[in-house]
Amino acid sequence: MAASSSTGSATEPPGLETQWREIDNLNQQQLRAGDSWYLLDKRWYDQWKEYVHAGDQNSSSYPGKIDNTELYEDLDSYHLKERLSENEDFVLVPAEAWHKLLSWYDMMDNQPPLERKVVDLPSTVKVEVYPVEIYLCLSSNMESTVSACFSRADKIHAIHQKIRQHFNVSETAESRLWMRSTDTSSERLRNLNMTILDSCLSSGMTVIMEIRNADGTWPTSRPQIMRNSADEDSYRGPPGVCGLTNLGNTCFMNSALQCLSNTPPLTEYFLRNSYLEELNFTNPLGMKGEIAEAYADVIKQMWSGRHYSVVPRVFKTKVGHFASQFLGYQQHDSQELLSFLLDGLHEDLNRVKKKEYIELRDADGRPDQEVAEEAWRNHLRRNDSVIVDTFHGLFKSTLVCPECNKVSVTFDPFCYLSVPLPVSKERVMEVFYVSLDPTAKPTQYRLIVPKAGRVIDLCTSLSQATGVPPNQMAVADVFNHRFYRIYQADESLSCILDRDDIFVGCVDQDGEEVVMAIYMRERSHYRDYGSGSNNYGTSLFGHPLLMSVPRAQCTREDLYQLLLKRLAPSSEGEEKAEEEESSSEPDRGSSTEEGQSACGSTDTNSQDATDGDQSAGVEPSGKEEEDEDEDEEEEEEAASCAQANKRLPGRRRNTEKQKKALFTIQAVNSNGTTDRNVPALNGMTHCFCLAQPYIAIDWDPDMKKKYYNENEAEKYIKHQSMDVPHQQITVQLQECIELFTTVETLEEENPWYCPTCKKHQLATKKLDLWSLPEVLIIHLKRFSYTKYSREKLDTIVEFPLRDLDFSGFLLKKTVNSTEPPCRYDLISVSNHFGGLRDGHYTSYARNKDNGQWYYFDDSKVTYAREEQITSAVYLLFYQRQDKIRQPTVPPPVPSSSQPENHVSSQTHDGMDGASSCVSMETD
């Protein structure tokens, strides 16, 4: 007999025996995670069993409608009673059994079915009788909450949809969820596909939905915006025309971000929120979706049209967290940042959740088409993302063993092309030449030398300009008033950096003369009694000298006279000293005093006062200052000078008595410090015959001030070669691409293992382009790093803005008209100005909406014309012509009548030459 109710009419049930057999069979099935089971009141179920076993459809044991009243706490909320027991208070039946019973007997009015999910817990699989009760609210009104019950097997997506439905949140509004376990602690629920069980949500907790602001920010991260003016909330500008604040040497990051921001397919992917469905939180090679989310936040803000500039601090922090090389605020390479970011976005958005192992196969003579298609299929089996869709292409790699001629062909994917620049075999070097003429000032020359040459080649080039034989030249690197290094003729020029101060002096290297290194030192006014010595401290100053001295004139007296001549151009001479001495001092008869006046003060110096003379601001160059031991210097005995004077002729001795020496001479080590390893000077006849003599000229401060003109000593003459502008090399972009596809021999550090020879070989390698992506990134390898040097190539690269044709470079020729063309138009570039350590990055980009070009210099954005795109390009972004859309809005017209702080006409200082541009200054 069937009963009816307002919930619907029951269908005619089968026979009682059939009912029992069907329900009993269904109840035998195993629990499977995710399946639905239903609670039935135990008394109703027992009565139903009695009824079907009685075999009489008119029996008084007929159960009637399904009634779970005894299981509810009340009939208003229909909350389940606490601590109900299975097989005492209720029984569980699988979904199919429940639906059969419901169709046969119907259910009491308004009672909800008690559906429960099977959950796979760490130790068992069971039906979840008591679900998780969670409070739901919006971040804009957290006082208004509603409760909802969810299975632990439900995904966070179910909570997300429940909040949308209850609070009428638009499906197009981008939102994110936060889990709040206490009043002060909240955690992001990033993965909507994670179960409630795995997310550690429990009853009583609150889930908050946060909705992204119209300006691209989140309510919880409002400080992301650089508030340039009080009315920024009302600012409306072209979407994407937005600066990025420099956080401290982050121009490299800003430049790369602007280029990617103006890559249409990638930016539209994020603006459409397509990334939300493809975030990969389980990829061990990824970053748990955090890089993709941080990048999305920056793009949303930049393209909201509501900001002059955005502060990418959170993004910078995320990058440093996952790539320690970008921690801190040192200058970095924009290409390195771009490479990391593209790889990070790819892995965070990889549609392949579980990568399978694929063994790569060599071509083994198979047709290129077959091998290429196989390689691309294998690539997509492990890598499938918007980055692959947009930036990945395929090139062919051919290796040939030089010994057995084994040919290995593989096809490999690429994300960007790093193309070399033609490198000149010559090098421009600037040196200071110091002649033997004591009256001649140093002369600066600009020389052309072989890039792979040796020091003798530099001397030969300088010889052509000076007429001095190369074998009579000594080449030294001067750093911090010292000779940092004196080079041998056969040393490689690669160990001399462009920033080094190179001095070349005339010397006689035939063995009859000694080459001496002369340092200039100034004594302090006071003795250093505190160090346990009564000696004077000294500090280096000025340029050191290289002098060739006849071995017969290596005595102290002869050196003094030679140095007087050598310093004549910058000293007022001994004559003035003599005049002042004779007019101010009486004649002294002591032979000891005579010795002192001739030789100078007998006080010696124990240390080089490095604390006050080190150049703390000098850039690191491998010339790190070594700690200098402050060794004691043996005092000279006045008697030794006096004894030497006794051997002088009478007239000369009387003359010497009237003179006061301008300086004293000390033997020192290569750092300009006197130590125990250097023999003390014992009198005027001491001979300086060390392997590499280093001599210090010590000046008393008062004498130096009177008789030494430091400004005059620092002066030099520029040779006419310095006026000849350095001719930069100009090449076409196509030439760089041709170099990329040129055969080369592998370096010794990176040999290839030949499977035939069974050993590593320096094989020849050739790369060829097979297929190209929608957006082609070309990296110009401007920075050259070798074992001895680092340099930037300032080669001018001319590149087309439109119609860059790759048909001549592709091995895979167009087979039919359905294949995409291979012509590209420029959409953005990253520039690098300056050198290796003082460089600056900017960018040009074409706005995808209005087609207008803009110049991005950190937080400053200006209008730009195509012809202003400079030759300082480092990265070029090209988009295939068939994918470029026409502007959807008309380009803005620069006008000087626009209001302040908006786009207005003015000259932009960052451009090469004067140009009328438009500036949005935010600093």
Side-chain angles (χ1 to χ4, degrees):
M1 178 169 200
S4 63
S5 73
S6 59
T7 61
S9 299
T11 61
E12 186 67 29
L16 298 181
E17 183 178 352
T18 302
Q19 288 185 42
W20 169 251
R21 185 172 61 252
E22 289 184 5
I23 297 301
D24 187 53
N25 288 337
L26 290 172
N27 284 342
Q28 304 305 316
Q29 69 185 50
Q30 298 295 315
L31 297 178
R32 294 181 305 178
D35 287 354
S36 292
W37 286 61
Y38 287 79
L39 275 71
L40 275 175
D41 180 81
K42 178 71 164 52
R43 286 194 299 178
W44 185 93
Y45 186 70
D46 287 345
Q47 189 169 351
W48 171 78
K49 286 199 299 182
E50 181 181 344
Y51 171 64
V52 295
H53 287 313
D56 183 3
Q57 292 189 353
N58 296 316
S59 171
S60 60
S61 60
Y62 175 74
K65 294 182 179 181
I66 298 173
D67 187 1
N68 287 330
T69 300
E70 294 301 317
L71 302 180
Y72 298 119
E73 193 173 285
D74 58 71
L75 296 181
D76 293 326
S77 64
Y78 287 106
H79 281 177
L80 203 63
K81 289 181 179 178
E82 296 291 334
R83 294 180 293 277
L84 295 176
S85 298
E86 186 178 1
N87 296 324
E88 290 184 11
D89 302 305
F90 64 89
V91 294
L92 290 167
V93 297
E96 190 176 351
W98 162 260
H99 289 302
K100 285 181 179 293
L101 290 172
L102 183 64
S103 67
W104 297 337
Y105 297 94
D106 208 347
M107 192 172 185
M108 294 297 292
D109 294 350
N110 301 321
Q111 281 191 13
L114 293 174
E115 180 185 11
R116 296 294 185 264
K117 291 289 181 68
V118 179
V119 294
D120 188 358
L121 299 177
S123 58
T124 184
V125 178
K126 61 180 292 185
V127 176
E128 182 185 44
V129 175
Y130 289 97
V132 179
E133 185 177 13
I134 299 174
Y135 294 97
L136 312 176
C137 67
L138 297 178
S139 64
S140 57
N141 185 10
M142 290 192 290
E143 300 300 321
S144 176
T145 62
V146 296
S147 64
C149 291
F150 300 93
S151 166
R152 290 172 178 80
D154 284 341
K155 295 183 178 180
I156 302 298
H157 183 75
I159 301 178
H160 192 262
Q161 290 302 109
K162 191 72 173 180
I163 299 178
R164 281 188 182 275
Q165 294 168 6
H166 186 85
F167 293 101
N168 297 318
V169 177
S170 169
E171 289 292 333
T172 60
E174 187 178 353
S175 59
R176 61 185 185 184
L177 301 182
W178 295 85
M179 172 179 68
R180 187 173 69 180
S181 55
T182 66
D183 290 338
T184 59
S185 175
S186 294
E187 180 182 343
R188 274 282 308 280
L189 293 170
R190 297 178 179 276
N191 190 354
L192 297 185
N193 292 316
M194 184 178 287
T195 65
I196 290 176
L197 175 65
D198 292 336
S199 300
C200 299
L201 275 167
S202 58
S203 294
M205 298 177 72
T206 302
V207 173
I208 306 165
M209 176 178 280
E210 182 184 21
I211 301 172
R212 192 187 288 272
N213 298 322
D215 65 357
T217 64
W218 295 101
T220 55
S221 59
R222 186 62 178 167
Q224 274 279 295
I225 300 304
M226 183 176 183
R227 303 192 63 80
N228 307 102
S229 59
D231 63 342
E232 181 170 334
D233 288 336
S234 62
Y235 170 73
R236 296 294 183 273
V241 184
C242 176
L244 290 169
T245 302
N246 192 319
L247 305 173
N249 282 329
T250 57
C251 60
F252 73 97
M253 181 183 77
N254 294 346
S255 176
L257 283 176
Q258 290 290 4
C259 289
L260 281 181
S261 170
N262 287 278
T263 301
L266 184 63
T267 292
E268 289 167 0
Y269 170 87
F270 280 95
L271 295 181
R272 289 195 310 265
N273 295 332
S274 300
Y275 73 100
L276 293 174
E277 298 299 322
E278 297 184 344
L279 285 170
N280 191 330
F281 298 99
T282 60
N283 186 353
L285 300 178
M287 298 154 198
K288 304 185 186 305
E290 294 186 35
I291 284 294
E293 288 187 327
Y295 177 77
D297 287 348
V298 174
I299 294 299
K300 298 270 186 178
Q301 294 168 35
M302 293 174 67
W303 286 86
S304 68
R306 303 195 180 206
H307 307 299
Y308 298 107
S309 181
V310 169
V311 184
R313 193 177 304 280
V314 173
F315 177 81
K316 169 69 170 61
T317 301
K318 292 291 185 185
V319 169
H321 175 72
F322 290 105
S324 59
Q325 67 267 33
F326 297 114
L327 280 172
Y329 295 93
Q330 301 298 316
Q331 180 63 279
H332 293 283
D333 189 329
S334 67
Q335 188 273 333
E336 291 179 1
L337 186 279
L338 178 69
S339 177
F340 161 78
L341 183 54
L342 288 175
D343 185 62
L345 290 176
H346 161 64
E347 297 295 357
D348 269 4
L349 300 169
N350 199 342
R351 302 174 187 118
V352 179
K353 305 305 179 185
K354 187 176 181 180
K355 295 187 177 185
E356 58 181 306
Y357 171 76
I358 300 174
E359 186 173 352
L360 300 179
R361 298 172 55 198
D362 195 81
D364 288 331
R366 291 180 293 160
D368 282 353
Q369 185 75 27
E370 176 187 338
V371 181
E373 291 176 356
E374 177 185 79
W376 188 249
R377 284 195 307 270
N378 289 340
H379 181 57
L380 293 181
R381 286 164 64 185
R382 293 174 55 86
N383 303 278
D384 184 16
S385 70
V386 65
I387 303 299
V388 175
D389 299 340
T390 307
F391 299 102
H392 282 206
L394 201 65
F395 61 69
K396 176 185 176 182
S397 175
T398 305
L399 289 165
V400 180
C401 177
E403 187 171 319
C404 69
N405 294 323
K406 160 70 177 176
V407 178
S408 173
V409 175
T410 58
F411 285 81
D412 303 298
F414 66 86
C415 191
Y416 51 84
L417 295 182
S418 288
V419 300
L421 302 183
V423 179
S424 172
K425 295 182 179 180
E426 295 180 332
R427 175 183 176 186
V428 177
M429 296 187 69
E430 295 179 1
V431 301
F432 294 92
Y433 172 70
V434 183
S435 72
L436 287 173
D437 182 359
T439 64
K441 296 184 182 300
T443 305
Q444 187 181 27
Y445 287 85
R446 179 174 288 161
L447 307 174
I448 306 296
V449 297
K451 179 166 286 188
R454 301 190 176 276
V455 172
I456 188 61
D457 296 311
L458 183 149
C459 296
T460 301
S461 179
L462 183 59
S463 174
Q464 295 172 0
T466 62
V468 177
N471 62 353
Q472 293 184 13
M473 293 181 180
V475 180
D477 181 357
V478 173
F479 176 73
N480 205 21
H481 314 295
R482 299 177 174 88
F483 287 115
Y484 172 71
R485 182 173 178 182
I486 298 178
Y487 295 100
Q488 300 300 316
D490 61 347
E491 289 190 74
S492 173
L493 286 176
S494 61
C495 60
I496 300 179
L497 306 183
D498 289 338
R499 65 176 179 272
D500 293 341
D501 290 327
I502 301 300
F503 282 74
V504 181
C506 280
V507 295
D508 181 6
Q509 297 185 346
D510 59 5
E512 296 300 323
E513 298 194 355
V514 177
V515 179
M516 287 188 170
I518 314 294
Y519 290 157
M520 306 290 287
R521 301 197 306 186
E522 180 178 0
R523 295 192 311 176
S524 62
H525 276 287
Y526 305 100
R527 296 176 185 267
D528 188 10
Y529 294 106
S531 64
S533 168
N534 63 348
N535 300 314
Y536 288 98
T538 59
S539 60
L540 292 169
F541 70 92
H543 288 307
L545 305 172
L546 276 178
M547 282 183 55
S548 182
V549 181
R551 290 185 179 275
Q553 297 184 19
C554 286
T555 64
R556 186 169 187 173
E557 171 61 18
D558 290 333
L559 276 176
Y560 181 80
Q561 299 300 327
L562 288 172
L563 289 171
L564 276 180
K565 294 180 181 179
R566 187 66 186 83
L567 297 175
S570 55
S571 172
E572 295 186 31
E574 202 172 29
E575 291 77 8
K576 181 177 178 181
E578 179 183 350
E579 292 171 2
E580 293 187 3
E581 183 73 12
S582 61
S583 63
S584 61
E585 295 185 16
D587 186 18
R588 296 187 294 247
S590 168
S591 62
T592 300
E593 289 177 352
E594 288 179 7
Q596 288 177 332
S597 64
C599 297
S601 171
T602 58
D603 292 329
T604 54
N605 312 294
S606 64
Q607 67 179 18
D608 182 1
T610 57
D611 290 346
D613 197 58
Q614 298 306 305
S615 179
V618 176
E619 299 177 3
S621 64
K623 301 175 179 175
E624 291 80 2
E625 298 298 332
E626 300 178 356
D627 293 333
E628 299 179 4
D629 298 330
E630 298 180 354
D631 299 320
E632 292 186 1
E633 179 186 305
E634 298 181 7
E635 286 195 4
E636 293 179 31
E637 298 181 4
S640 62
C641 280
Q643 186 67 27
N645 264 349
K646 289 179 182 179
R647 295 191 292 267
L648 294 176
R651 176 176 292 183
R652 182 177 177 186
R653 189 165 61 248
N654 291 334
T655 303
E656 293 292 339
K657 180 176 65 176
Q658 302 299 324
K659 295 181 180 179
K660 182 176 182 181
L662 301 183
F663 48 78
T664 61
I665 306 171
Q666 304 295 335
V668 295
N669 59 21
S670 60
N671 287 322
T673 304
T674 306
D675 56 33
R676 295 188 182 95
N677 295 324
V678 178
L681 304 184
N682 295 314
M684 296 170 59
T685 59
H686 176 83
C687 185
F688 296 84
C689 294
L690 307 178
Q692 178 62 70
Y694 288 88
I695 304 300
I697 298 176
D698 286 349
W699 289 83
D700 177 82
D702 294 332
M703 297 295 283
K704 175 175 175 283
K705 185 176 181 181
K706 287 182 180 179
Y707 306 120
Y708 187 81
N709 189 331
E710 196 164 355
N711 290 333
E712 186 68 23
E714 296 287 333
K715 290 182 179 179
Y716 63 91
I717 299 171
K718 283 192 175 185
H719 186 260
Q720 60 184 13
S721 60
M722 295 296 298
D723 298 328
V724 179
H726 176 50
Q727 296 296 323
Q728 286 186 299
I729 301 174
T730 301
V731 300
Q732 300 296 318
L733 178 61
Q734 289 85 339
E735 295 179 57
C736 301
I737 300 172
E738 287 175 0
L739 275 177
F740 177 78
T741 59
T742 300
V743 177
E744 63 177 356
T745 301
L746 296 180
E747 298 176 348
E748 293 184 2
E749 296 81 10
N750 187 31
W752 170 66
Y753 183 79
C754 176
T756 303
C757 298
K758 304 298 183 183
K759 62 180 180 180
H760 289 90
Q761 299 280 16
L762 299 182
T764 59
K765 181 178 181 179
K766 188 178 190 305
L767 294 177
D768 291 291
L769 300 176
W770 180 262
S771 62
L772 298 177
E774 175 183 344
V775 176
L776 178 63
I777 303 174
I778 301 177
H779 162 225
L780 302 178
K781 297 171 72 172
R782 289 196 176 276
F783 300 110
S784 173
Y785 303 99
T786 67
K787 183 178 180 181
Y788 298 103
S789 65
R790 302 174 63 192
E791 64 175 332
K792 179 191 173 184
L793 303 177
D794 290 320
T795 305
I796 298 174
V797 179
E798 295 182 346
F799 50 90
L801 274 69
R802 294 180 182 83
D803 293 323
L804 176 58
D805 189 359
F806 274 90
S807 58
F809 296 105
L810 284 176
L811 280 184
K812 179 184 179 183
K813 305 302 180 184
T814 300
V815 181
N816 54 61
S817 59
T818 62
E819 293 193 17
C822 50
R823 289 182 178 271
Y824 287 77
D825 288 352
L826 191 69
I827 56 173
S828 63
V829 300
S830 172
N831 307 304
H832 182 270
F833 298 95
L836 288 171
R837 292 175 174 80
D838 57 352
H840 181 60
Y841 288 94
T842 64
S843 55
Y844 288 96
R846 178 184 181 271
N847 187 277
K848 68 181 182 66
D849 293 339
N850 59 32
Q852 170 67 46
W853 281 88
Y854 295 90
Y855 182 72
F856 299 90
D857 186 355
D858 288 331
S859 58
K860 184 164 63 175
V861 184
T862 63
Y863 288 114
R865 298 187 299 272
E866 290 183 349
E867 59 269 22
Q868 291 171 331
I869 301 178
T870 70
S871 59
V873 292
Y874 181 46
L875 300 171
L876 300 103
F877 285 63
Y878 280 94
Q879 187 175 15
R880 208 168 61 214
Q881 286 181 342
D882 65 312
K883 294 292 186 178
I884 296 179
R885 297 184 310 176
Q886 295 301 316
T888 56
V889 296
V893 179
S895 170
S896 59
S897 62
Q898 291 171 323
E900 186 180 359
N901 285 335
H902 287 63
V903 180
S904 59
S905 295
Q906 65 174 357
T907 299
H908 173 52
D909 296 333
M911 301 287 189
D912 290 342
S915 59
S916 177
C917 295
V918 188
S919 174
M920 295 192 312
E921 298 207 29
T922 58
D923 293 330

